[in-house]
Amino acid sequence: MTRIWWRLAAATALNLSLGLGTAAAQTVVVRHVKTGMPVHLVLNTTDSGSAAADEAGNARLEADMQAAMKKDETDAYAYIDRCADAVRVYLVERGVQPPPPAGDCTQQQVGGLFWLRDISSLVIDAGGPNVTMRLKQGGVPEAWMSDRPDDPAFRRTAPTGLVLFGGGGLSTFSTVGGLACGDVGSCQSDDTGLAWSGGVAYWLNRFAAFEAAYIRPASATATADEPTYRFESELDAHLLTLGGNIGAPIGAVRLYGKVGAVYHRASFTTTQTIDPQTVTIDGVEQTSDGGTQSYDLRTGGWSYMFGGGMEAWAKPSFAIYVEAGRALLKGEHLDVGEGSIDDRTTYILAGVRFRIGG
């Protein structure tokens, strides 16, 4: 009994605040419907009107709740039938079931129990896989009728959940070329080139994520051509990074920093060719055989990495990103012999991200 009196008091106060010019009719707007498609509204079992979608894909209906339900307010459920040639909206009270959908129709219930009044406005979005509905006691807010990304009601945000990504860019090593060349004057080194990466991140919320990524930096090379010998050296590396991201979302853009561990597997190969040489000793010419030698050092080990970047979500499931980082390569030889690596690679990458799941 107390609840009934409270509702009556609230209804009276709201009606007074809206003024005498407010029409006592429910407004139902169905959005993202094919232009010209009819939209029908049913209150309980009473047909309460229909309207065709306009060029913007919106159908607006006005319903007389008092005439259909013999009351000014009630609790109701919402069902939507989407058919090939029409859309039907059912607003039914407890104990009332909508008719089953026709053969070419699909029926979906909007989750929740809604308090409907004769001044309620409902905006239903039937354009996506899941129908959504907004309810307001009063007129339809203008922002609810817009798909512009700058409208606060529709502003995109950086998502949470599972994200796959991939991209490419540039990378460089710090010391490989210089060490490989040593003091050989003709030696030329190239530590910079194309790199690519791919991975997966799981954002626990909009501010923190776990990430695993594979990075393939460009190979570093060094070549020399001296009068009596020549050599070629190459470092080929593969990186696996595991770490955490800390994000700072700004609407659909998220700035982030990352830190974690990196495991590398690398192969440093040098091939050297020595030309035959003839020397004269005590008047006798002696020729030493030339030849080609190869040296291969394979290393592996753990170290750390850090970096940061920015991602911009053009759609809820699609974004572009750019990031930069540095990974240290430290490790010992993997085969019999001696040798180690102590270098670092710096990279800048750009690519795309895809959010997986709902």
Side-chain angles (χ1 to χ4, degrees), residues 139-290:
V140 177
E142 183 179 353
W144 289 12
M145 300 298 295
S146 174
D147 293 325
R148 294 178 302 168
D150 55 345
D151 280 343
F154 291 91
R155 186 171 296 161
R156 293 184 300 274
T157 59
T160 61
L162 186 64
V163 175
L164 303 181
F165 60 88
L170 296 174
S171 70
T172 183
F173 287 95
S174 297
T175 62
V176 174
L179 292 176
C181 285
D183 58 0
V184 178
S186 66
C187 186
Q188 296 182 341
S189 63
D190 186 1
D191 296 324
T192 303
L194 295 178
W196 58 275
S197 173
V200 58
Y202 188 84
W203 285 90
L204 303 172
N205 50 50
R206 296 175 61 209
F207 308 96
F210 295 110
E211 181 183 290
Y214 168 75
I215 302 175
R216 180 72 160 84
S219 297
T221 61
T223 59
D225 190 356
E226 292 290 297
T228 58
Y229 70 93
R230 64 201 58 85
F231 67 81
E232 297 178 352
S233 296
E234 182 179 26
L235 175 66
D236 188 25
H238 304 261
L239 311 181
L240 173 65
T241 66
L242 301 171
N245 296 353
I246 299 298
I250 308 172
V253 175
R254 177 159 47 202
L255 307 178
Y256 61 90
K258 58 181 7 178
V259 64
V262 56
Y263 180 79
H264 89 274
R265 292 290 295 269
S267 176
F268 182 74
T269 303
T270 297
T271 300
Q272 179 174 282
T273 299
I274 301 176
D275 297 330
Q277 298 183 40
T278 300
V279 297
T280 301
I281 301 177
D282 295 332
V284 179
E285 290 187 350
Q286 298 184 11
T287 301
S288 61
D289 296 332

Side-chain angles (χ1 to χ4, degrees), residues 8 10 33 35 68 79 99 129 166 168 179 201 204 206 217 233 238 251 269 274 295 314 327 330 338 350 355:
L8 288 174
V33 179
T35 300
Y79 296 83
L179 292 176
L204 303 172
R206 296 175 61 209
S233 296
H238 304 261
T269 303
I274 301 176
Y295 173 74
K330 297 177 70 71
E338 296 183 357
R355 183 175 181 268

Side-chain angles (χ1 to χ4, degrees), residues 43-44 46 48 64-71:
L43 301 183
N44 278 344
T46 302
S48 298
D64 188 344
M65 185 176 177
Q66 179 65 40
M69 294 182 171
K70 310 303 180 185
K71 57 185 68 175

Side-chain angles (χ1 to χ4, degrees), residues 55-201:
E55 293 184 356
N58 301 324
R60 181 183 292 264
L61 303 97
E62 301 290 338
D64 188 344
M65 185 176 177
Q66 179 65 40
M69 294 182 171
K70 310 303 180 185
K71 57 185 68 175
D72 296 328
E73 62 176 69
T74 189
D75 292 328
Y77 296 99
Y79 296 83
I80 290 87
D81 282 4
R82 289 184 287 185
C83 311
D85 58 354
V87 174
R88 291 179 178 83
V89 178
Y90 297 93
L91 301 176
V92 298
E93 296 179 282
R94 300 172 189 260
V96 180
Q97 290 294 323
D104 66 339
C105 302
T106 59
Q107 187 174 92
Q108 184 177 348
Q109 180 181 0
V110 180
L113 180 65
F114 302 95
W115 180 28
L116 300 183
R117 305 181 59 207
D118 56 3
I119 60 168
S120 297
S121 293
L122 298 86
V123 177
I124 299 169
D125 190 339
N130 296 313
V131 176
T132 60
M133 186 176 81
R134 296 184 176 204
L135 170 66
K136 185 178 186 297
Q137 308 302 341
V140 177
E142 183 179 353
W144 289 12
M145 300 298 295
S146 174
D147 293 325
R148 294 178 302 168
D150 55 345
D151 280 343
F154 291 91
R155 186 171 296 161
R156 293 184 300 274
T157 59
T160 61
L162 186 64
V163 175
L164 303 181
F165 60 88
L170 296 174
S171 70
T172 183
F173 287 95
S174 297
T175 62
V176 174
L179 292 176
C181 285
D183 58 0
V184 178
S186 66
C187 186
Q188 296 182 341
S189 63
D190 186 1
D191 296 324
T192 303
L194 295 178
W196 58 275
S197 173
V200 58

Side-chain angles (χ1 to χ4, degrees), residues 76 131 135 139 178 297 346 352:
V131 176
L135 170 66
L297 171 65
T346 303
V352 295

